[in-house]
Amino acid sequence: MKRRSAAALLAAVVLWSPVKGTDVGKLLPVELMQISRTETGYVVRTDTENMGEGESLPQALANLRETAQGKIFLETTEYVLLTRETMQCLPDLPEFFRPGTEVYVAPPMENLEQATAFLRAHSRQSPLFRLTEGEPELPELQTEEGRIFYADQRK
């Protein structure tokens, strides 16, 4: 009898608990994020076609989370693209991204899916943890006529 009562109580707590998990279908796992500047602050864009704006990077990321049609999942971010104007954000990145997230310098790009595919195939292994340990040399991407390449490989 005690076992049935305990099982019924446990089932009731689970079913009517106000704490609910995240619906997996609402997760938006980010693989690539671009951080750029405007006259009024920062713009963050993801390969999931979401965007956030704010006066600071934390505000732009908060806006990204608020305006997304699901739950932005930054723990899956593999690549961050900084523009020259957002290089000063580098010390703040460990607060938001994993130590293994690779960081690159790039001009603002329209096609982030193309950038993601390029980096998957041609990674330069520039993880965030190395950059915060004193190696601030970032690989630089460039674009020309719809093509992406590393600045040091321009022909």
Side-chain angles (χ1 to χ4, degrees):
M1 182 78 162
K2 283 185 179 181
R3 283 188 181 172
R4 279 192 228 169
S5 296
L9 179 62
L10 181 61
V13 168
V14 170
L15 290 173
W16 288 290
S17 172
V19 179
K20 300 289 181 193
T22 301
D23 179 0
V24 175
K26 298 251 185 213
L27 286 178
L28 299 170
V30 173
E31 188 171 359
L32 182 138
M33 179 172 290
Q34 177 178 278
I35 302 172
S36 57
R37 293 244 346 154
T38 64
E39 290 178 13
T40 58
Y42 290 83
V43 174
V44 292
R45 289 182 51 231
T46 70
D47 61 330
T48 59
E49 298 182 5
N50 291 282
M51 185 179 87
E53 298 177 291
E55 291 180 17
S56 66
L57 179 58
Q59 289 173 343
L61 290 169
N63 180 254
L64 171 70
R65 287 184 175 103
E66 291 167 8
T67 59
Q69 295 297 315
K71 181 171 174 37
I72 293 290
F73 195 64
L74 294 181
E75 290 80 358
T76 57
T77 307
E78 291 291 329
Y79 314 105
V80 172
L81 303 180
L82 298 174
T83 61
R84 290 250 172 243
E85 298 79 27
T86 58
M87 291 287 294
Q88 74 275 10
C89 291
L90 192 56
D92 300 325
L93 296 183
E95 185 178 337
F96 306 104
F97 302 101
R98 296 176 299 106
T101 301
E102 296 179 25
V103 184
Y104 297 85
V105 176
M109 294 188 181
E110 288 300 315
N111 189 339
L112 295 183
E113 287 182 28
Q114 181 187 10
T116 303
F118 175 83
L119 290 170
R120 274 191 215 130
H122 306 288
S123 170
R124 285 276 177 102
Q125 300 296 316
S126 58
L128 188 54
F129 75 87
R130 281 197 200 137
L131 304 172
T132 56
E133 289 178 354
E135 291 183 37
E137 188 72 28
L138 296 174
E140 184 175 349
L141 301 176
Q142 291 186 344
T143 61
E144 187 175 284
E145 298 176 2
R147 202 173 63 92
I148 299 174
F149 54 92
Y150 285 105
D152 62 0
Q153 293 181 331
R154 187 174 187 157
K155 294 181 179 183

